[in-house]
Amino acid sequence: MGSRVRVWLNRTYAENVFFMDQLRSNPQHRAVEIHATHGDPDSPVLAAADTAEMEPEGLSPRAYVEYALDLCARRSVDVFVPVLHQAAIVAQRAEFAALGTTLLAPPAEAVAVFQDKVTAYEAVQAVGVPVPPWWRVRTEEELLTAVDALESAGHKACFKPAAGAGGVGFRVITRAPFSLMHLNGFPSPYVPLNLVVDALREADHPVDWLVMPRLEQPEVSVDCLTGPDGRVRMAVGRTKNGRRRGFTLHPSWIEPARLLAEAFGLHYLTNIQFRMYGDEPVLMDVNTRPAGGLHQLALCGVNAPWAAVQLALGEETGEVVPPFLAQDYTVVSGPRPVRPVSLPQQRTDTPAPVLTDTPAPTLPAVPAPSPATESSPAGATAAIAPV
């Protein structure tokens, strides 16, 4: 059975409730004690953990590292999965190792490369992985130059922050004037060029954007598991084409992901995303952390979180190969519990509802299936349904 393993997940996205579920359901039946911290008391990861606490607010990266070191010592943490302030934390890997804590994250050098998308694109081009054309934009003039160049080549221009995670700040530029069309239905990523230019003119600080062509589907996220020796143990692609999701082991996606994981020392769990530029798969992003949809590999018989913890504990996993590729599926929302709230924390600016003698309906227990993207609201998760 082995001794109990203590794992800490710091401030992270709601989907990691499934990461935690997979650690507990490990095939070795090893006892796992999970500690979670967050800045949002309603994050479902707090309710899903064995022990949990709120994180202090307003800490600088270095002060947060001191907080993390103290927590690892107090909780005797064996494996720490850092998301918030990952770069500052991995820079002090030796200090955590001195406490007996292994960081489930790549080395500081690898994290630094992929914090900035321009630096990342230049680095991956140097090892032979194709990327889309891109422009770094800080001014109105640079934006217009990039948009004109892309549109003259027949592409739709889009932009996103040069540093950032997920789809935060992603927009697609259109020449259509702002109208009721933009106000109908759900909010759209499309934004008129003239409004973007106006915003740049009125901004009190420069932007730092990456402007590039809008890439086409399918989007393939390759989940990689790499040991601290730099050897890739697992690389499985999750495909996304509209609502439809699936899995792939096709070399056009897997081989460049393996190359990047080995070339840059992307140890433990990372996620490497590709899309189509014309007929060619090109790199879209590299995430130096476990993806929100990582748990979906369970549909293929793979428990990636536990395999990563094994490597962190110095236990060899061998090659982690899916015994099968599951059928296509889609993702739907599902409830997860949050922690109880004491009365002083509840809202007082609206009158309380009048209670009746009729008992309230109870919420049925929901198994811990799966979410989709890191952009899901905290407290909401998503389950997998076959297509």
Side-chain angles (χ1 to χ4, degrees):
M1 288 281 289
S3 59
R4 180 182 301 272
V5 181
R6 294 179 175 87
V7 180
W8 173 29
L9 282 77
N10 75 340
R11 191 177 313 196
T12 187
Y13 31 89
E15 287 84 353
N16 263 343
V17 293
F18 303 110
F19 189 102
M20 298 156 76
D21 292 340
Q22 287 190 283
L23 291 182
R24 293 190 179 105
S25 61
N26 67 81
Q28 280 72 42
H29 305 291
R30 188 92 167 262
V32 178
E33 180 182 292
I34 301 174
H35 184 67
T37 59
H38 210 284
D40 178 6
D42 293 331
S43 171
V45 299
L46 296 179
D50 297 296
T51 59
E53 60 189 80
M54 295 295 294
E55 292 186 355
E57 294 292 341
L59 296 182
S60 67
R62 180 59 213 183
Y64 190 92
V65 170
E66 295 300 329
Y67 158 76
L69 287 166
D70 176 71
L71 190 148
C72 286
R74 285 190 290 109
R75 296 283 181 177
S76 301
V77 173
D78 299 303
V79 179
F80 175 20
V81 188
V83 174
L84 179 67
H85 292 311
Q86 186 192 65
I89 289 166
V90 297
Q92 307 302 323
R93 187 180 298 268
E95 294 187 51
F96 287 93
L99 298 174
T101 300
T102 300
L103 301 180
L104 199 79
E109 298 79 10
V111 172
V113 168
F114 295 104
Q115 272 192 305
D116 180 276
K117 292 179 173 60
V118 171
T119 303
Y121 278 11
E122 291 173 342
V124 301
Q125 278 183 296
V127 299
V129 174
V131 301
W134 51 270
W135 287 257
R136 188 167 207 156
V137 164
R138 294 186 174 91
T139 66
E140 171 192 344
E141 292 74 18
E142 291 174 343
L143 173 69
L144 294 174
T145 297
V147 171
D148 288 342
L150 286 167
E151 290 182 343
S152 64
H155 300 292
K156 290 180 180 177
C158 64
F159 65 90
K160 57 185 175 182
V168 176
F170 173 80
R171 297 292 186 274
V172 181
I173 291 175
T174 175
R175 298 275 184 171
F178 187 78
S179 67
L180 284 177
M181 177 188 71
H182 295 91
L183 301 178
N184 289 331
F186 292 102
S188 165
Y190 284 87
V191 58
L193 177 60
N194 64 301
L195 295 186
V196 180
V197 171
D198 289 344
L200 285 174
R201 288 172 180 168
E202 296 172 8
D204 55 5
H205 58 83
V207 298
D208 188 8
W209 291 341
L210 197 69
V211 176
M212 56 195 294
R214 183 183 182 186
L215 302 175
E216 300 303 322
Q217 293 185 329
E219 179 179 318
V220 178
S221 294
V222 181
D223 294 309
C224 292
L225 173 63
T226 306
D229 58 0
R231 182 166 60 86
V232 175
R233 308 302 201 276
M234 179 200 79
V236 182
R238 290 181 288 112
T239 65
K240 179 180 178 182
N241 200 336
R243 185 184 293 273
R244 181 174 292 269
R245 310 293 177 93
F247 302 98
T248 181
L249 295 175
H250 195 281
S252 62
W253 314 103
I254 301 302
E255 291 309 315
R258 281 181 168 270
L259 172 60
L260 292 176
E262 291 177 351
F264 294 98
L266 296 175
H267 300 169
Y268 301 112
L269 290 168
T270 54
N271 177 256
I272 303 173
Q273 300 174 345
F274 301 89
R275 272 198 176 221
M276 298 299 294
Y277 176 62
D279 297 327
E280 181 184 35
V282 293
L283 179 73
M284 186 169 66
D285 210 352
V286 175
N287 297 306
T288 58
R289 50 168 174 71
L294 177 69
H295 64 281
Q296 294 166 15
L297 295 184
L299 294 175
C300 301
V302 172
N303 187 332
W306 178 247
V309 167
Q310 282 186 287
L311 288 176
L313 295 174
E315 302 170 7
E316 182 51 61
T317 62
E319 293 296 316
V320 180
V321 180
F324 55 88
L325 294 183
Q327 72 179 83
D328 286 359
Y329 62 101
T330 191
V331 175
V332 295
S333 297
R336 290 285 297 207
V338 295
R339 300 174 84 190
V341 178
S342 61
L343 282 174
Q345 293 175 285
Q346 295 187 19
R347 292 175 60 92
T348 58
D349 55 352
T350 54
V354 177
L355 302 180
T356 68
D357 294 331
T358 305
T362 57
L363 187 68
V366 178
S370 3
T373 65
E374 287 108 61
S375 59
S376 300
T381 57
I384 294 174
V387 175

